[in-house]
Every structure is written in structure tokens, then in C-alpha cells.
Amino acid sequence: MRSSVSHARSIAVLTGAGVSAESGIPTFRSNGGLWQQYRFEDLATPEAFQRDPKFVWTWYEERRRSIAKAQPNAGHLALAEMERRAKRFTLITQNVDGLHDRAGSKNVIKLHGDIWVLRCLRCRREEVNREELQSLPPYCDCGGMLRPGVVWFGEALPEGAMERATEAVRHAGVFIVAGTSAQVYPAAGLIPLAIRNRATVIEINPEETDFSADVTYALRGTSAEMLPQLLGDGS
Ligand code: NAD
Ligand code: ZN
């Protein structure tokens, strides 16, 4: 299995909230997950934002502050190293936390946006802002309200993101799926696509998912344990 990774001409990886769990960032569905403390209908929809932007922003700003204190873990770092060694490598993530960037990953497709991006509702301008936001909601220079640059329930993915992800998976000899419950579509649909294309599909998740029975290897462990092992040199 390690040799399939080190000899692959092209590797694609799909990550989810689980890869950041060992950095102390809660996942959505596991015990203690975000949605057990909050009703997502209250937070992660355009309607919720329209109803009460300050409430939604307060929650996002809290997440931003806690993510800012977190560090990439051994799993994020292993993926950045895998990219440096591979001929062709695409990291497709459902995470919005930016920890892959901070670990050194370069070719990253952010299917669900980026919590560090702020987007103006009026002029559509986007800015990267990692500062603590002084007043909520924040406003653009044009006077329009800024929203978090993440994809909310019921919204379209960033333009071209799914097309680029599909293309990467089509070309991948090895497809690694780490830390995702694979219940959010269309991202989860990349897994059956890789299986149909006869890629070597490696799942890393301490728990079984709907796809575990169909992948080539289902590794029952955490991403910080298992991803460094896939590099095959103990690093
Ligand atoms: P999810 O919460 O539905 O699933 C997380 C999965 O990770 C579960 O299957 C769990 O068994 C597994 N897991 C838990 N700890 C793990 C570990 N240490 N190593 C490997 N796997 C582990 O998350 P999802 O599949 O990403 O989908 C839900 C949505 O949550 C996505 O749309 C994503 O945008 C959003 N989200 C993002 C973040 C983030 O950016 N860090 C955090 C929470 C949710
Ligand atoms: Zn503006």
C-alpha cells in the first residue's frame, strides 16, 4: 500500500473535518461535534445570515479565533510532504480552516470555501483577513456588509471547484480519503468516481463510513497516525 502511494504518478486526496480533529478543531458529526451544540439551521445558511448577521458572525469569529490558535498536525504535514514528492498531486478539502495551507500544501481545492476570506455582499470583492474583527458584522470599504467566505447549506460550491476536483480524481492512480464522514454531496461523490475509475482508494477514518466496504484499503486509525505512515519512511 505504501508503495502504491510512493509510486503513484498522480495522487488525489479528499479531506474532511476529521483531519483537523487532532489540532483541536471539532468535527461536525462526531461526539462533541459542532452541530450537537448548535442547530446548523440557525447558523450555516444564507437565511440565518439574513435574519441575524451579528449572531452568525459572532459564531464564525469565535471559530476563527480558536482556529488561529490551533496548529497543523502530523496528518496535515504528511500531506504537504506527499505533495512535494509526487509528480502530480491535488488536495481537495471540505475544510475551511486553512490548516492545509499553513502546513505547506500548495495545490488545494477548497470545496467549501475558506473561513479567512471575507466577501462583500454588495461589490462581491473578496479579501483575506486573519485579524480579530473589531465590530460585527464587518463592512467593506464600499459600505456593503461582509460575509464569511464559506459555503453554506443550500449554496453552490465555488465556481469551477467541483470541475477541478473531478478532473483530479479522474487522473488519480491513488485516491486518499481522510477524515470525512462522506455524507456531504457533491464532495462525497468523488469516492464512487475514484472506485469506478479503478484507482487505489485508501480511506483513513477511525470509524466506518458508507464507503468503507468498497475502498481498496480502509485504515482504521486517525489521520495524524496514518498519513505519516503512508509516506513510508516513518517521517
Ligand atoms: P464530519 O464531521 O461529517 O465527519 C468527520 C469524520 O472524521 C467522521 O467520519 C469521523 O469518524 C472522522 N474523524 C474523527 N476524528 C478523526 C481523526 N482524528 N482522523 C481521521 N478521521 C477522523 O465532517 P466532513 O465529512 O468534513 O463534512 C462535514 C462538513 O463539515 C464539511 O462541509 C466541512 O466544510 C465542515 N467542517 C469543517 C471544519 C474545518 O474546517 N476544520 C470543521 C467542522 C466542519
Ligand atoms: Zn464592497
Side-chain angles (χ1 to χ4, degrees):
M1 177 187 57
R2 284 176 191 174
S3 71
S4 35
V5 174
S6 50
H7 293 124
R9 279 168 20 110
S10 180
I11 301 173
V13 181
L14 173 67
T15 65
V19 299
S20 293
E22 286 154 292
S23 295
I25 299 170
T27 64
F28 276 15
R29 288 177 186 76
S30 50
N31 284 337
L34 293 169
W35 298 139
Q36 294 181 337
Q37 297 168 45
Y38 303 93
R39 279 164 24 102
F40 68 77
E41 299 88 337
D42 293 341
L43 290 163
T45 66
E47 293 76 21
F49 188 72
Q50 227 168 14
R51 211 160 39 230
D52 194 346
K54 191 179 170 84
F55 175 72
V56 172
W57 255 120
T58 302
W59 186 76
Y60 273 96
E61 181 56 12
E62 245 175 69
R63 284 187 70 199
R64 285 162 51 96
R65 290 334 337 142
S66 84
I67 292 167
K69 287 188 220 120
Q71 296 302 326
N73 65 54
H76 298 106
L77 295 171
L79 289 174
E81 178 60 23
M82 204 180 285
E83 177 171 17
R84 286 189 282 272
R85 296 181 190 183
K87 292 185 190 73
R88 198 167 161 175
F89 184 96
T90 307
L91 177 47
I92 304 156
T93 188
Q94 299 168 85
N95 294 347
V96 298
D97 56 33
L99 289 180
H100 287 304
D101 305 318
R102 283 170 59 198
S105 287
K106 300 289 178 228
N107 191 25
V108 183
I109 300 173
K110 294 174 187 168
L111 289 181
H112 295 163
D114 186 330
I115 202 165
W116 303 110
V117 170
L118 275 50
R119 186 164 73 243
C120 177
L121 292 175
R122 185 183 291 172
C123 72
R124 307 276 149 196
R125 195 176 64 84
E126 292 192 345
E127 64 177 54
V128 175
N129 185 334
R130 295 170 196 278
E131 305 293 306
E132 189 163 348
L133 301 172
Q134 294 310 327
S135 67
L136 299 177
Y139 285 89
C140 176
D141 292 340
C142 83
M145 190 187 288
L146 294 166
R147 61 161 280 178
V150 300
V151 176
W152 283 325
F153 290 89
E155 291 188 314
L157 301 193
E159 206 181 322
M162 201 56 207
E163 289 76 3
R164 287 199 294 138
T166 302
E167 188 66 11
V169 171
R170 278 220 180 89
H171 285 96
V174 171
F175 185 47
I176 300 169
V177 183
T180 177
S181 58
Q183 287 176 17
V184 178
Y185 283 78
L190 295 169
I191 304 167
L193 172 65
I195 294 170
R196 278 199 305 279
N197 279 346
R198 302 185 182 286
T200 299
V201 181
I202 304 172
E203 178 187 71
I204 297 176
N205 198 313
E207 288 171 35
E208 201 169 311
T209 72
D210 291 348
F211 293 102
S212 298
D214 302 322
V215 299
T216 322
Y217 303 100
L219 309 181
R220 290 282 157 264
T222 74
S223 50
E225 284 163 13
M226 307 307 285
L227 285 168
Q229 287 185 30
L230 286 186
L231 287 173
D233 59 7
S235 67

